């Protein structure tokens, strides 16, 4: 419809105040519904509009298709709704932002009512976070026209497929639903026979200690997950960070293509058992991708992946991401999530007994107390809670303070330096397991404590703890007893986390039984109670007492065996001469075959030594 007609109809509509009021209310109700749809999440808006076509307003902030515009223009009522909605957009926004309507329309309260480990799809995309920092134009650039040409790549939640990747075909990995208990679904990945054969070749390539064998294997099987993980570690050691990250994303894409139809990344009710070797690649790929995201400057996206890993097995936490989730929450400024995690899990998980939670939670409360947009009552409560928890942390883990100040280049006063409670004795007397946890925390999060405001807040609490120590407070003695009884040895998942994190301070404190055994990037420190579904066939073992001549001929002829088959009967002496004769005969036959197969190539003839000049 031409624009002139709609302009002519405006005065007629303004002459009907009663109709406009009722239609304004209708538009307002639809607007509130649109807000709830936006907070509802990914992909549900179109479905709700299809279910309620009569309530759909004719106008919106987004452009509609021409068909919908024609339908809404057929009757005059549709025209009045559209025009009035455009005129009253400011008043509707004021109503939405009204404090009285905040519980119904704001997303904060809805987010708090969700499960603790609820994962949002849009937060799994690092481009969402980068757009928030730099804008869509700087992030996307000229990618939008190219995406239309990508017809064969499926759209995924975990990664954005690239045009440079090989064409995807079924790899032989599937996911099965094992059972459902108390509303929690347990899944597992499965390897079909063809994938098992590739897995055996991969193990042979790893044992060869030659990365070129992995490259050759990936050329034939470009989406073999363990090969992608192992080769990513090789590229990272060679300082090729871009290729290392690309291989991890390809591994995630391969695994997501094998998801079960009812497997949900966001619900927090789907479980994978780390004891099954087929499931470990998914945990490790998520963790390595998370590390790359954090280094790339996307802590909010990394936090969402951390929540996803924790939701896959929150009870056992095989990669011990609880040692990392506090750091990512602080970096992403998700202080409320960290404090909520501490409140809900402290009773049954004893999070305060981990040095990272003992120090990070009061730091989160301190940052909350500095937010001016919060009410004064909440800020004062956060300030009191932060003071209480930081004193308990200093009493429980006194060995953290001096290394933390040293990393922050802060020189403490003479009273703190000379006091034995925070001195060198505190670090020497603690167990190796506790030393690993404290070293991991200080090495990872010391940059968050460099803020002068944080140091000014920390200083009076350190002196207050020293006063309690000198007064022989019961809390100090109780904490000392806890340190002696607990932290005797770290569980295997903490060792696995330290190896994957590659923090120098914590890796140096690993025990000898961990550092002495080979650690593979595709399966570091496998669980001792693994659930094995298929085994690797035994390789043909050659006799160990072979002569040098026999080994030389085997290097030329891999199938050659001088000693023949191993005798299983006990009559070795009687057949010794016969074995010797057979061995000599085999040797002569092998030499004849080798000489017969040698072919000498004639050197290429140069019919025109002077040349014909330059080629066209």
């Amino acid at each position: 419809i031409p624009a002139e007609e709609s302009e002519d109809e405006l005065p007629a509509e303004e002459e009907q105040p009663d109709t406009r009021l009722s239609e304004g209310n209708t538009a307002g109700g639809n607007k509130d519904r649109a807000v709830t749809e936006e907070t509802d999440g990914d992909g549900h808006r179109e479905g709700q509009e299809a279910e309620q076509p009569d309530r759909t307003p004719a106008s919106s902030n987004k452009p509609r298709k021409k068909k919908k515009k024609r339908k809404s223009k057929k009757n005059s009522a549709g025209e009045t709704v559209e025009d009035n909605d455009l005129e009253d957009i400011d008043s509707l926004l004021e109503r939405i932002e009204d404090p009285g309507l905040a519980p119904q329309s704001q997303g904060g309260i809805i987010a708090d009512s969700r499960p603790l480990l609820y994962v949002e799809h849009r937060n799994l995309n690092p481009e969402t976070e980068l757009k928030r920092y730099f804008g869509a134009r700087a992030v996307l650039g000229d990618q939008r026209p190219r995406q239309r040409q990508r017809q064969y790549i499926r759209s995924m939640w975990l990664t954005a497929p690239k045009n440079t990747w090989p064409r995807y075909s079924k790899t032989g990995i599937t996911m099965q639903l094992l059972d459902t208990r108390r509303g929690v679904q347990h899944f597992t990945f499965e390897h079909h026979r063809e994938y098992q054969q590739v897995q055996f070749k991969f193990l042979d390539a790893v044992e060869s200690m030659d990365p070129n064998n992995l490259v050759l294997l990936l050329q034939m099987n470009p989406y073999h997950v363990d090969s992608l993980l192992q080769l990513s570690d090789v590229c990272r050691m060679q300082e090729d960070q871009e290729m290392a990250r690309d291989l991890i994303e390809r591994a995630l894409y391969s695994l997501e293509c094998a998801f079960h139809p009812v497997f949900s990344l966001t619900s927090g009710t789907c479980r994978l058992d780390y004891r099954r070797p087929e499931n470990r690649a998914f945990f490790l790929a998520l963790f390595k991708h998370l590390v790359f995201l954090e280094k790339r400057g996307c802590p909010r996206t990394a936090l969402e992946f951390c929540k996803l890993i924790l939701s896959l097995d929150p009870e056992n936490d095989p990669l011990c991401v609880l040692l990392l989730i506090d750091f990512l929450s602080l970096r992403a400024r998700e202080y409320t999530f960290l404090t909520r995690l501490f409140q809900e899990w402290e009773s049954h998980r004893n999070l305060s007994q981990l040095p990272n939670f003992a120090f990070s939670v009061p730091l989160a409360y301190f940052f909350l107390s500095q937010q001016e947009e919060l009410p004064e009552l909440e800020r004062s409560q956060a300030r009191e809670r932060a003071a209480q928890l930081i004193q308990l942390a200093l009493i429980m883990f006194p060995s953290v303070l001096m290394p933390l100040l040293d990393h922050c280049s802060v020189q403490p006063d003479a009273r703190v330096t000379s006091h034995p409670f925070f001195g060198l004795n505190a670090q020497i007397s603690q167990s190796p397991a506790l030393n690993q946890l404290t070293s991991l925390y200080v090495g990872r999060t010391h940059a968050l404590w460099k803020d002068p405001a944080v140091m000014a807040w920390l200083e009076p609490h350190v002196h207050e703890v020293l006063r309690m120590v000198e007064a022989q407070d019961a809390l100090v003695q109780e904490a000392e007893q806890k340190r002696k009884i607990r932290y005797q040895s770290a569980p295997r998942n903490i060792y696995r986390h330290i190896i994957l994190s590659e923090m120098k301070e914590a890796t140096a404190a690993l025990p000898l039984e961990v550092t002495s055994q080979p650690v593979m990037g595709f399966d570091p420190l496998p669980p001792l109670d693994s659930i094995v579904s298929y085994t690797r066939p035994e390789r043909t073992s050659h006799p160990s007492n072979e002569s040098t001549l026999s080994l030389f001929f085997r290097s030329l002829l891999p199938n050659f065996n001088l000693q023949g088959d191993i005798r299983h009967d006990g009559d070795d002496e009687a057949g010794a001469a016969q074995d010797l004769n057979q061995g000599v005969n085999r040797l002569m036959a092998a030499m004849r075959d080798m000489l017969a197969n040698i072919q000498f190539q004639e050197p290429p003839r140069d019919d025109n030594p002077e040349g014909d000049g330059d080629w066209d």
Side-chain angles (χ1 to χ4, degrees):
I1 296 177
E4 290 82 3
E5 294 181 15
S6 60
E7 291 178 357
D8 295 339
E9 292 169 359
L10 284 176
E13 293 167 359
E14 291 176 355
E15 293 174 0
Q16 301 174 355
D18 297 335
T19 308
R20 177 176 177 177
L21 180 61
S22 61
E23 288 166 351
N25 292 335
T26 305
N30 287 333
K31 188 67 178 179
D32 291 339
R33 186 175 63 85
V35 171
T36 56
E37 288 171 357
E38 288 181 1
T39 56
D40 225 12
D42 309 287
H44 296 296
R45 176 184 300 173
E46 295 181 2
Q48 292 184 4
E49 288 179 351
E51 292 172 4
Q52 302 174 351
D54 297 335
R55 295 183 56 192
T56 304
S59 73
S60 175
N61 292 336
K62 296 183 178 180
R64 299 297 183 114
K65 295 181 180 179
K66 290 184 179 179
K67 280 186 177 181
K68 291 185 179 179
K69 284 187 176 180
R70 292 194 192 102
K71 289 181 181 179
S72 63
K73 291 285 185 177
K74 282 183 179 178
N75 52 5
S76 59
E79 295 173 358
T80 55
V81 171
E82 180 176 3
D83 296 331
N84 287 334
D85 195 6
L86 290 173
E87 291 177 3
D88 294 346
I89 186 69
D90 294 331
S91 61
L92 290 174
L93 290 176
E94 290 177 1
R95 290 181 56 202
I96 293 172
E97 294 173 357
D98 187 12
L101 298 176
Q104 287 80 11
S105 59
Q106 293 295 328
I109 296 180
I110 296 177
D112 290 341
S113 64
R114 290 172 176 170
L116 181 64
L117 298 180
Y118 179 84
V119 177
E120 295 186 66
H121 277 144
R122 60 188 179 91
N123 288 331
L124 291 174
N125 187 0
E127 288 187 359
T128 304
E129 188 171 5
L130 293 174
K131 288 176 192 175
R132 195 182 310 139
Y133 297 149
F134 306 108
R137 187 179 297 275
V139 175
L140 294 179
D142 56 348
Q143 294 180 11
R144 291 178 180 175
R146 296 179 182 176
Q147 288 181 355
R148 296 177 181 174
Q149 302 172 4
R150 188 168 40 83
Q151 298 293 334
Y152 64 93
I153 298 182
R154 298 164 57 184
S155 178
M156 292 296 173
W157 291 116
L158 296 178
T159 56
K162 301 178 182 178
N163 294 328
T164 56
W165 290 357
R167 193 180 191 90
Y168 179 80
S169 59
K170 289 186 179 295
T171 59
I173 301 181
T174 58
M175 179 184 279
Q176 299 296 330
L177 175 63
L178 295 178
D179 59 354
T180 302
R181 299 191 297 268
R182 299 178 181 178
V184 177
Q185 298 171 318
H186 295 262
F187 294 87
T188 183
F189 285 98
E190 288 186 350
H191 293 172
H192 292 178
R193 183 175 297 277
E194 61 270 16
Y195 193 90
Q196 293 179 15
Q197 299 301 322
V198 180
Q199 188 74 10
F200 299 150
K201 295 178 182 178
F202 162 74
L203 296 176
D204 294 339
V206 170
E207 290 180 356
S208 70
M209 305 297 290
D210 186 0
N212 293 322
N213 293 334
L214 289 176
V215 176
L216 293 175
L217 183 62
L218 274 178
Q219 288 178 352
M220 301 298 295
N221 308 275
Y223 287 95
H224 182 254
V225 179
D226 284 348
S227 298
L228 293 168
L229 296 179
Q230 190 71 24
L231 193 59
S232 174
D233 286 349
V234 175
C235 294
R236 190 168 44 81
M237 293 175 185
Q238 296 177 352
E239 302 298 330
D240 191 354
Q241 301 293 333
E242 188 67 26
M243 177 57 71
R245 189 180 68 185
D246 186 80
L247 293 172
I248 293 297
E249 291 178 358
R250 204 199 299 179
L252 283 176
Y253 177 75
S254 176
L255 289 167
E256 189 174 0
C257 288
F259 278 179
H260 193 275
V262 299
F263 182 80
S264 172
L265 294 170
T266 60
S267 64
T269 58
C270 296
R271 302 285 184 266
L272 288 174
D273 194 347
Y274 193 81
R275 294 176 300 172
R276 296 180 179 270
E278 297 88 345
N279 296 337
R280 294 173 198 164
F282 189 51
F283 283 88
L284 296 170
L286 289 173
F287 190 92
K288 293 173 186 288
H289 186 57
L290 172 158
V291 173
F292 281 120
L293 288 172
E294 193 273 328
K295 291 180 180 178
R296 190 181 173 188
C298 301
R300 182 65 185 87
T301 312
L303 174 62
E304 211 68 17
F305 274 91
C306 193
K307 290 161 59 177
L308 174 58
I309 297 174
L310 189 57
S311 69
L312 294 177
D313 194 353
E315 295 299 325
N316 301 312
D317 192 11
L319 300 186
C320 208
V321 293
L322 281 177
L323 298 178
L324 175 66
I325 197 168
D326 62 300
F327 168 67
L328 296 175
S329 301
L330 291 174
R331 278 214 56 200
R333 300 181 180 179
E334 293 289 330
Y335 310 126
T336 306
F337 167 76
L338 180 57
T339 56
R340 183 188 172 195
L341 176 65
F342 182 75
Q343 292 170 2
E344 294 188 11
W345 284 26
E346 167 63 16
S347 59
H348 65 283
R349 298 294 288 268
N350 291 327
L351 297 182
S352 60
Q353 302 305 305
L354 294 174
N356 59 311
F357 272 94
F359 281 88
S360 292
V361 173
L363 186 60
Y365 276 114
F366 168 73
F367 286 135
L368 284 174
S369 68
Q370 302 298 307
Q371 294 183 353
E372 298 181 356
E373 61 270 15
L374 291 179
E376 182 59 33
L377 178 60
E378 293 184 15
R379 293 173 59 188
S380 62
Q381 291 176 349
R383 200 176 298 113
E384 294 175 3
R385 187 73 173 143
Q388 177 188 3
L389 290 177
I390 193 61
Q391 292 178 16
L392 291 176
L394 290 169
I395 292 173
M396 188 67 198
F397 306 106
S399 61
V400 173
L401 180 64
M402 298 306 291
L404 185 62
L405 296 179
D406 185 42
H407 277 76
C408 296
S409 303
V410 174
Q411 180 64 34
D413 55 18
R415 184 189 178 200
V416 178
T417 306
S418 60
H419 203 285
F421 186 73
F422 290 120
L424 189 60
N425 185 42
Q427 303 175 39
I428 297 176
S429 60
Q430 68 181 0
S431 64
L434 183 56
N435 186 28
Q436 295 157 13
L437 294 176
T438 56
S439 300
L440 183 69
Y441 177 73
V442 172
R444 175 176 282 156
T445 60
H446 63 86
L448 299 172
W449 293 82
K450 286 186 177 181
D451 190 352
V454 174
M455 283 297 166
W457 162 74
L458 179 63
E459 183 179 5
H461 298 300
V462 173
H463 289 287
E464 176 63 21
V465 169
L466 288 181
R467 186 197 62 78
M468 296 172 65
V469 171
E470 293 169 355
Q472 296 183 353
D473 193 290
L475 282 175
V476 179
Q477 299 177 0
E478 181 182 351
E480 185 177 357
Q481 291 298 323
K482 287 181 180 178
R483 285 196 302 272
K484 290 181 179 178
I485 297 175
R486 301 171 181 175
Y487 314 107
Q488 295 298 322
S489 62
R492 199 170 179 85
N493 60 341
I494 290 182
Y495 292 150
R496 197 178 294 126
H497 177 88
I498 292 174
I499 291 173
L500 290 173
S501 300
E502 296 183 350
M503 300 295 301
K504 295 180 181 178
E505 297 86 352
T507 307
L510 286 173
L512 185 61
E513 61 266 19
V514 175
T515 57
S516 61
Q517 56 181 310
V519 177
M520 296 300 176
F522 69 95
D523 191 9
L525 293 183
L528 301 177
D529 55 347
S530 297
I531 302 176
V532 180
S533 58
Y534 66 93
T535 57
R536 181 184 179 189
E538 294 184 2
R539 305 182 67 184
T540 56
S541 58
H542 300 295
S544 59
N545 55 348
E546 294 184 66
S547 63
T548 307
L549 183 63
S550 175
L551 292 174
F552 168 71
F553 275 99
R554 177 165 299 127
S555 65
L556 300 175
L557 305 169
N559 296 325
F560 171 72
N561 184 6
L562 177 64
Q563 297 183 356
D565 297 331
I566 302 175
R567 299 179 65 89
H568 295 285
D569 53 352
D571 193 10
D572 292 337
E573 296 180 358
Q578 184 179 0
D579 289 342
L580 181 60
N581 292 331
Q582 291 178 355
V584 173
N585 292 334
R586 284 196 197 90
L587 178 59
M588 297 301 295
M591 291 181 65
R592 282 194 297 269
D593 292 340
M594 184 179 68
L595 293 174
N597 291 329
I598 292 179
Q599 295 180 359
F600 296 98
Q601 265 190 333
E602 295 184 4
R605 298 178 58 185
D606 194 359
D607 296 333
N608 189 6
E610 296 181 359
D612 295 331
D614 295 335
W615 291 91
D616 291 336

